[in-house]
Amino acid sequence: LFAEMGFTVFRFSISWARIFPTGLEDEPNEEGLKFYDSVLDELEKYGIEPLVTMSHYEMPITLTQKYNGWLSRELIPLFEKFTTTIMERYKDRVKYWIPFNEMNMNLNSLYTGAGVLEDKIEDKLSASYQATHHQFLAQALTIKNGRDINKDFKFGCMINAIESYPATSKAEDQLAALKASQINYFYPDVQVRGYYPSYMESYFRENNITIKKDPQDDKILLSGKSDFVAFSYYMTHMIEYSNLVICQEQLFK
């Protein structure tokens, strides 16, 4: 049907849990890999370019139970193992990769996006950004590893793009809309530029958020920057200064 309609690119996701059911196995599940062999066979038959998302809200449940998801750095090497496995398997069949789907949705659904159980944390906002930091690192390392596997690979980052427009021409509403947009576009900023933007450093200070980093983290982020930005576009928001705090908390609801 895709071919009949003239589509030339198909974005699909490879399930982490299908390849490493608990995330802790040393060897991948060959039957899971064969499933995606068949998907790629079909795409190639019709001349359709695959665009593969590596993590799309399907992290192995064991990693939530053992580590409370991406709140733990322990997930970074486990994700590297998974992504290296599929990149080596499909190095001659897939060119375009997106390591994480809509990372900014961690603010809305921390379990869905990062596998974190909210009843085991004290501060959801801080936990969201800490889990995201670990995902940033995992993405950068995946990109670095991928370029060693195939120099022609292209890596993207993806967000749920919700545009924020000022409700009026008042300066305070303009500023409120800008800040709401920064909360959204912080994610591709880090993934494309390889460092945290100054406006988010200010936001963290204002909201008493401290990101726990290891000394090498900044270097890791710079080592694996994205080649392109992708987005899903669903809706817009009108922003007023008086409800800025509410909008920041409910931006994705």
Side-chain angles (χ1 to χ4, degrees), residues 166-202:
T168 73
S169 59
K170 295 178 181 177
E172 56 266 37
D173 289 349
Q174 298 284 332
L175 180 60
L178 172 63
K179 289 187 174 182
S181 294
Q182 287 174 336
I183 296 297
N184 201 13
Y185 288 97
F186 151 67
Y187 300 85
D189 261 358
V190 174
Q191 293 170 86
V192 170
R193 293 173 173 166
Y195 57 87
Y196 279 71
S198 59
Y199 62 80
M200 283 306 292
E201 299 288 0
S202 298

Side-chain angles (χ1 to χ4, degrees), residues 30 43 67 74 95 117 149 166 170-171 194 198 200 232:
E30 181 61 25
L43 293 176
Y67 299 113
E74 297 290 338
K95 179 178 180 179
L117 298 174
I149 293 170
K170 295 178 181 177
S198 59
M200 283 306 292
S232 294

Side-chain angles (χ1 to χ4, degrees), residues 54 87 97 99 142-143 146-147 153-157 226-228:
M54 295 165 150
M87 287 189 294
W97 304 88
T142 290
I143 292 173
R147 288 175 177 149
F153 281 167
K154 296 297 182 184
F155 293 91
C157 58
S226 296
D227 299 301
F228 64 91

Side-chain angles (χ1 to χ4, degrees), residues 59 79 93 117 129 139 162 179 206 208 224:
M59 190 187 75
F79 187 73
R93 308 186 73 183
L117 298 174
Y129 285 113
Q139 168 145 329
I162 299 176
K179 289 187 174 182
E206 292 166 1
N208 297 314

Side-chain angles (χ1 to χ4, degrees), residues 100-168:
F100 288 94
N101 176 73
E102 296 179 355
M103 205 183 289
N104 56 323
M105 288 303 288
N106 289 348
L107 285 174
N108 180 46
S109 179
L110 194 49
Y111 174 73
T112 302
V116 176
L117 298 174
E118 293 184 27
D119 60 354
K120 292 188 176 183
I121 58 176
E122 295 182 0
D123 183 344
K124 178 183 175 182
L125 190 62
S126 293
S128 170
Y129 285 113
Q130 186 65 56
T132 296
H133 178 69
H134 295 151
Q135 290 179 332
F136 283 152
L137 296 172
Q139 168 145 329
L141 289 167
T142 290
I143 292 173
K144 184 176 181 294
N145 295 337
R147 288 175 177 149
D148 290 336
I149 293 170
N150 185 334
K151 62 180 179 59
D152 293 325
F153 281 167
K154 296 297 182 184
F155 293 91
C157 58
M158 183 175 183
I159 62 167
N160 175 355
I162 299 176
E163 296 298 324
S164 298
Y165 294 99
T168 73

